[in-house]
Amino acid sequence: MKQLARSDTLREKVEELSGQNVFACYQCGMCSAGCPLSEEMDLLPHQVVRGLQLEDWTVMESNTMWICASCLTCEARCPHGVDLACVMEAMRQLYLRKSLDHIAIDKLTTEEIARLPQIALVASFRKKTG
Amino acid sequence: MPQPRIGIFVCHCGLNIKRTVDTQAITEALGEYPGVAFATDYDYMCSDPGQRLIKEAITEQRLTGIVIAACSPAMHEPTFRRAAEEAGMNPYLCEMANIREQCSWVHQDREAATKKALRIVNTIIEKVRGNHPLEPVEIDHVNKCLVIGAGIAGIQAALDVAESGFAVILVEKEPTIGGHMAQLSETFPTLDCSQCILTPKMVEVSRHPNITLLTYSEVVNVSGYVGNYTVTIRKNPTYVDPDKCNLCGDCENVCPESTESEFERGLVQRKAIYIPFRQAIPSSYTLDEETCLGLRPLRCNECAKVCDPKAIDYDMLPEIIEEEVAAIIVATGYELHPISSLGEYGAGLIPDVIDGLQFERLLSASGPTGGEVRRPSDGKIPKKVVFVQCAGSRDPEHHNAYCSKICCMYTSKHALLYRHVVPDGEAVIFYIDIRAGGKGYEEFVQHAIEEERILYLRGKVSKIYREGDHVIVWGVDTLSNRLVEIEADLVVLAISIDPHPSNPILSKVLKISCDAEGFFKEAHPKLRPVESLTAGIFLAGAGEGPKDIPEAVSQGSGAAAKAVTLLVQEKLSHSPEVVDINENICSGCGICVNMCPYAALAVNGGGVAEVNEVLCEGCGTCVSACPTGAAQLKNMTTKQLNNMIEVALRDV
């Protein structure tokens, strides 16, 4: 079995985490055309995959992966069976693993903790696990 | 018996063999093998200098047999046997040791591969030691050719063979010849009217003295072998005598039953008694028994009542025709991928989402709208038409992995012709890549874009649905990275090409293979593109792979040329490497007769098995079944085989 080695490139990391071959994508754009949320994205889903093919780290700064709701419409229609929801999740994981901008729980006041939705707290803990 | 003097010729095949097998080392080792008089190696043994090397060695070294250690015998055995023959050696004393496909291509460990190559060559040396000179078996053949399918490829093939002076039987499943080309409006890139260039050829076929045309007929069985195939054809009853039918159309007017017209691709209805189109050949009506109200046991009889020339015969029966032919050309053609499988494009349930062939009918002067583009739902002239390419093509996940090849061109043509007919209409084409490889093709597409202002959007449509009077298309333009939503009046899908549904049935009947996609498989994708792997069976047209008209015509002519090269030969030859029965020990038990898959064996009046050498393919099944050892393959006797196994197992 192939060892899960720490890879250096963005593409390899995403492929390793998602189990998808980003080079299977031939940029037909069917994912973007059918995505119910693509209007809210600053990069369309196919552009994100193109960015990965080009090893362009700026895709990590786009809001696309955070808008993706994993509805799997793209995956169901993709002619090459690329599971974009998996790719987006892999990118989210990579981002979270950097442990950026997480909430310092110990600095929160009791009042703030009471006001915060529980799920937000859970999410911020998750960011620390990367 | 004189001592054997065997020559060994090791080929590097460029780096194909040399990269994995130490060719020099095996050449040296083989030189030491008992009975080997000469061993050498060379870059490309099949090249002219390589063959010269072999010929010179045969003469100078007085060789009694040679082994070429190179590629598969399926590739170059005929080449090397011909070279041996030219040097005066009986060609059956030349054998090939396959150290490429069965060794260098499938291994990486150089040392192990080298040892294996040596073993392979050693076994073949043992074979050659036991070989005897043989003479090919000669076969008489008939002088007819069968063509299956009368679309443009089959028509071209039939005409070419017939023009060469040989009889042709042209079999077509449908009631008319012409195939899909007859449905087309104008053809790219020159925009000739399809009917104008096709119908004269159809007429030529029907009038040619050398062509017997059998429409509404199917090939149900084929037996025999190259030069002497026996073909069984079932001619389905049309219930109308074509000689009497005068095309008055009275029958059609009174017929109470109708169904979707196949020729008009469901855009209009046709009656149970119908003619696909006015220029159909044969020029006669056909009664479709599936749709007819009551062919039997009850008859509505309306059509027969009004038929003045008394052409209708309800008692017509299927006719079984047997023919002897030397060669068969298979030109079955294509069918469109089912629209029902394209769920995101409406699965065929949206009336104004149609396929390319339906659009051809709308554009055609002889079509249901007389050449006016009117959409199926309400007959309005659509002002905005969206064309969707790659509908089912290049989609290994759900549909066909391959490119259907013709859609880029016909979609461009569709948009252009639409703009000619509806000058104030807007045409938008969604594409992934434009594949316009062909003479004048790229120029045609560029012309459509530049002169007809057709907007090409690079992206695959994700969803098509109906909203009120419109068809909504969700797409994207990946060049500007903009989402595109279009309210269209009509959508035309460039649906993928499927192999003809009769391909799997015919592949069994003809014993020729299909590839993974279901298209007929050619003998070699580059060098033998019009031949099947079965001798005497040739391929033409889209049944072999997606093709446009010029390619289908070229392949039709190519297959005809191949068939004619076979027909002009006085006698055909067959490999003499067949089974031989030793009459002295054959007990006449007949086990071999039952085992033979080619029906080549029979027990004769003398009580011993007899071989029909023409039918025998040398498979050896009888040899392994024969209890007395009377059946032996020529140049592959049990003794030879045992020796080969022994050296194969010996250490090298």
Side-chain angles (χ1 to χ4, degrees):
Chain A
M1 215 180 104
K2 198 176 162 240
Q3 291 288 312
L4 281 180
R6 278 244 166 231
S7 47
D8 291 318
T9 68
L10 172 65
R11 188 170 59 232
E12 281 172 19
K13 275 181 180 169
V14 170
E15 287 191 334
E16 197 176 289
L17 282 171
S18 65
Q20 303 300 305
N21 179 353
V22 297
F23 277 113
C25 169
Y26 64 170
Q27 290 287 302
C28 71
M30 205 182 192
C31 47
S32 304
C35 176
L37 294 168
S38 52
E39 278 182 23
E40 306 301 323
M41 296 170 175
D42 47 19
L43 284 183
L44 294 174
H46 77 272
Q47 286 180 281
V48 171
V49 182
R50 186 63 182 153
L52 293 172
Q53 289 173 345
L54 295 171
E55 196 56 43
D56 177 3
W57 278 85
T58 59
V59 294
M60 292 298 288
E61 290 154 25
S62 83
N63 71 1
T64 307
M65 59 176 145
W66 305 110
I67 302 285
C68 168
S70 298
C71 73
L72 300 179
T73 305
C74 49
E75 190 265 346
R77 292 182 186 160
C78 175
H80 280 262
V82 178
D83 190 337
L84 261 180
C86 271
V87 170
M88 296 296 170
E89 173 62 10
M91 289 171 63
R92 287 194 292 265
Q93 288 291 338
L94 275 183
Y95 193 91
L96 293 173
R97 284 177 188 189
K98 288 188 194 161
S99 300
L100 297 174
D101 72 344
H102 55 262
I103 304 167
I105 307 289
D106 50 342
K107 300 269 165 44
L108 292 176
T109 63
T110 327
E111 193 189 325
E112 279 169 334
I113 290 175
R115 262 181 34 224
L116 262 176
Q118 278 191 348
I119 192 72
L121 272 180
V122 174
S124 59
F125 283 138
R126 189 178 161 208
K127 279 190 177 181
K128 296 185 103 174
T129 61
Chain B
M1 199 176 158
Q3 281 300 305
R5 291 181 59 78
I6 294 168
I8 312 288
F9 302 87
V10 180
C11 180
H12 300 172
C13 196
L15 284 174
N16 275 304
I17 294 170
K18 202 181 177 185
R19 188 185 292 125
T20 328
V21 171
D22 187 342
T23 41
Q24 207 180 343
I26 65 165
T27 309
E28 280 168 22
L30 289 164
E32 306 297 315
Y33 197 89
V36 171
F38 178 79
T40 187
D41 58 330
Y42 185 67
D43 296 344
Y44 295 101
M45 215 47 103
C46 57
S47 67
D48 188 49
Q51 292 191 43
R52 208 176 318 130
L53 184 78
I54 297 169
K55 287 187 220 169
E56 282 168 9
I58 291 173
T59 334
E60 286 166 16
Q61 303 287 330
R62 301 180 320 281
L63 300 176
T64 59
I66 58 171
V67 176
I68 319 290
C71 49
S72 158
M75 182 80 202
H76 275 318
E77 191 182 75
T79 314
F80 293 118
R81 285 193 168 169
R82 208 176 309 124
E85 197 171 16
E86 281 165 16
M89 174 183 271
N90 183 288
Y92 297 94
L93 299 174
C94 163
E95 293 285 354
M96 293 197 68
N98 182 353
I99 58 166
R100 192 179 77 170
E101 284 85 344
Q102 291 176 355
C103 188
S104 71
W105 275 1
V106 288
H107 298 299
Q108 273 148 16
D109 181 337
R110 193 173 158 84
E111 198 182 325
T114 304
K115 277 191 176 174
K116 180 174 165 182
L118 199 52
R119 281 170 196 255
I120 292 173
V121 186
N122 286 349
T123 59
I124 304 298
I125 296 173
E126 286 305 321
K127 180 177 189 316
V128 170
R129 283 160 78 103
N131 273 10
H132 291 282
L134 301 173
E135 292 305 324
V137 181
E138 288 198 330
I139 322 170
D140 288 321
H141 64 85
V142 294
N143 273 328
K144 267 189 199 167
C145 176
L146 169 74
V147 179
I148 306 173
I152 185 58
I155 286 176
Q156 186 64 43
L159 286 174
D160 285 1
V161 175
E163 280 297 297
S164 311
F166 296 100
V168 178
I169 299 148
L170 178 57
V171 175
E172 169 58 50
K173 211 172 171 204
E174 302 296 330
T176 175
I177 63 170
H180 284 306
M181 188 175 166
Q183 293 175 297
L184 307 183
S185 53
E186 291 166 28
T187 52
F188 62 79
T190 42
L191 297 182
D192 325 60
C193 146
S194 186
Q195 293 251 338
C196 313
I197 54 176
L198 175 69
T199 43
K201 276 188 184 285
M202 289 165 59
V203 174
E204 212 183 326
V205 161
S206 69
R207 295 208 181 134
H208 203 290
N210 286 346
I211 299 179
T212 311
L213 180 58
L214 296 172
T215 49
Y216 220 41
S217 305
E218 288 164 73
V219 173
V220 288
N221 194 40
V222 173
S223 60
Y225 47 90
V226 55
N228 297 279
Y229 285 111
T230 305
V231 184
T232 315
I233 301 158
R234 187 180 62 231
K235 184 160 174 44
N236 298 314
T238 59
Y239 303 103
V240 180
D241 183 342
D243 296 330
K244 289 186 188 163
C245 176
N246 60 9
L247 294 182
C248 68
D250 289 347
C251 53
E252 191 177 13
N253 293 336
V254 297
C255 177
E257 283 301 294
S258 50
T259 187
E260 283 185 356
S261 158
E262 296 87 354
F263 185 78
E264 303 294 354
R265 289 197 69 82
L267 290 170
V268 285
Q269 300 272 307
R270 64 154 173 87
K271 293 295 181 64
I273 189 159
Y274 71 109
I275 181 162
F277 56 105
R278 300 313 296 178
Q279 298 75 26
I281 284 185
S283 199
S284 168
Y285 272 76
T286 298
L287 176 58
D288 154 25
E289 58 177 57
E290 294 287 316
T291 316
C292 180
L293 189 58
L295 197 59
R296 57 177 87 86
L298 293 169
R299 292 167 183 166
C300 95
N301 215 23
E302 290 298 321
C303 51
K305 267 192 259 171
V306 296
C307 182
D308 271 346
K310 305 280 170 241
I312 297 167
D313 171 13
Y314 294 121
D315 298 319
M316 205 181 262
L317 291 170
E319 212 179 315
I320 299 293
I321 300 161
E322 265 204 8
E323 287 282 356
E324 301 281 324
V325 298
I328 301 173
I329 296 172
V330 192
T332 52
Y334 70 92
E335 201 40 79
L336 290 188
H337 195 62
I339 193 169
S340 57
S341 68
L342 298 162
E344 62 273 25
Y345 294 167
L349 300 173
I350 309 172
D352 293 329
V353 178
I354 59 172
D355 64 43
L357 280 175
Q358 287 175 314
F359 198 64
E360 292 285 348
R361 295 313 301 148
L362 291 183
L363 288 168
S364 170
S366 64
T369 54
E372 282 192 348
V373 176
R374 291 186 176 275
R375 63 183 199 170
S377 65
D378 52 12
K380 278 189 194 156
I381 294 176
K383 295 293 180 193
K384 192 158 199 170
V385 181
V386 173
F387 297 88
V388 178
Q389 292 194 193
C390 296
S393 299
R394 305 179 67 197
D395 186 341
E397 198 63 17
H398 313 97
H399 305 286
N400 293 329
Y402 49 86
C403 164
S404 293
K405 202 173 183 179
I406 61 171
C407 326
C408 284
M409 287 310 296
Y410 79 62
T411 302
S412 190
K413 178 198 76 178
H414 281 170
L416 180 136
L417 291 178
Y418 164 70
R419 292 269 296 132
H420 285 183
V421 183
V422 187
D424 60 337
E426 195 184 335
V428 177
I429 299 178
F430 280 100
Y431 74 104
I432 309 176
D433 298 294
I434 301 177
R435 295 182 169 174
K439 208 170 175 179
Y441 287 12
E442 174 62 22
E443 296 89 325
F444 182 87
V445 175
Q446 197 56 38
H447 168 83
I449 297 170
E450 278 181 34
E451 305 300 327
E452 296 299 334
R453 325 299 286 173
I454 291 156
L455 184 63
Y456 268 78
L457 294 178
R458 196 203 168 279
K460 188 158 178 169
V461 167
S462 179
K463 194 175 177 177
I464 297 172
Y465 60 97
R466 197 177 188 182
E467 201 171 83
D469 208 17
H470 295 290
V471 182
I472 312 292
V473 180
W474 280 7
V476 66
D477 175 39
T478 60
L479 297 179
S480 65
N481 292 314
R482 268 180 230 180
L483 297 167
V484 183
E485 186 177 322
I486 300 177
E487 274 190 3
D489 298 320
L490 180 71
V491 173
V492 182
L493 304 176
I495 297 188
S496 181
I497 280 181
D498 276 355
H500 196 274
S502 63
N503 273 21
I505 305 159
L506 273 177
S507 96
K508 283 202 189 87
V509 169
L510 295 163
K511 296 179 190 76
I512 56 175
S513 47
C514 287
D515 58 24
E517 281 83 23
F519 292 107
F520 290 123
K521 200 170 172 181
E522 59 285 340
H524 189 284
K526 282 153 255 174
L527 302 176
R528 296 172 68 193
V530 301
E531 294 163 73
S532 77
L533 275 169
T534 307
I537 300 186
F538 307 104
L539 311 171
E544 185 262 335
K547 265 176 209 77
D548 59 16
I549 297 167
E551 284 180 316
V553 171
S554 313
Q555 212 186 6
S557 284
K562 284 285 171 190
V564 169
T565 33
L566 195 148
L567 289 163
V568 292
Q569 287 175 46
E570 216 157 281
K571 286 195 186 253
L572 302 176
S573 69
H574 181 270
S575 166
E577 292 161 307
V578 293
V579 75
D580 185 34
I581 305 285
N582 183 341
E583 292 185 6
N584 294 328
I585 50 176
C586 173
S587 67
C589 68
I591 291 174
C592 58
V593 179
N594 296 329
M595 299 298 288
C596 178
Y598 303 99
L601 286 154
V603 176
N604 66 14
V608 290
E610 199 178 284
V611 192
N612 180 338
E613 294 196 332
V614 173
L615 291 177
C616 177
E617 287 295 323
C619 70
T621 308
C622 55
V623 178
S624 50
C626 178
T628 61
Q632 291 288 326
L633 278 181
K634 289 182 186 169
N635 281 356
M636 186 53 106
T637 59
T638 310
K639 192 177 165 208
Q640 277 174 295
L641 206 54
N642 284 341
N643 289 346
M644 288 167 74
I645 294 169
E646 200 181 303
V647 297
L649 299 174
R650 200 185 291 160
D651 237 1
V652 287

